[in-house]
Amino acid sequence: MAKAKNIFSHYPGEDLVYYIPFDDFLGSDTIATVSFTVPTGLVKEAEGKNSGAITLRIDGVDETFIANQVAYVQISGGTEDTTYTVPCTITTTTSGETVIRDIILVCERKP
């Protein structure tokens, strides 16, 4: 199944967790390390990987992922009318490969 683009609306003052599934790349491998690079204007409150099975709604469908295949970051802050790119770098457990995927946060005025 094709994954949704990692583009999200984010409102100034929100403190939210964003997820990136890596199962399509990892196969049976898992995430060893994860690091999100958060640009100026946003605050990284926490980051990590799922320690157990997790179910996420992607494109309106619930998908369950095994442990250590989803990276997450908790972000607060932001400036209205600003788009932020938040790169996520993981290394894999078995092969030691490095993979980078981005989350795009479009910071806008809350309706």
Side-chain angles (χ1 to χ4, degrees), residues 10-85:
H10 183 89
Y11 305 114
E14 285 187 319
D15 185 347
L16 297 174
V17 178
Y18 298 95
Y19 299 91
I20 301 179
F22 283 89
D23 63 308
D24 57 331
F25 174 80
L26 292 169
S28 62
D29 206 348
T30 58
I31 297 171
T33 64
V34 59
S35 177
F36 284 85
T37 304
V38 176
T40 301
L42 297 174
V43 177
K44 177 171 52 176
E45 304 291 347
E47 69 181 7
K49 58 187 176 178
N50 64 314
S51 59
I54 186 172
T55 300
L56 302 174
R57 183 162 287 257
I58 298 175
D59 291 336
V61 176
D62 287 343
E63 292 191 47
T64 301
F65 302 92
I66 65 171
N68 302 316
Q69 286 203 333
V70 178
Y72 68 85
V73 64
Q74 181 179 354
I75 293 177
S76 64
T79 301
E80 198 173 290
D81 299 323
T82 304
T83 298
Y84 299 95
T85 300

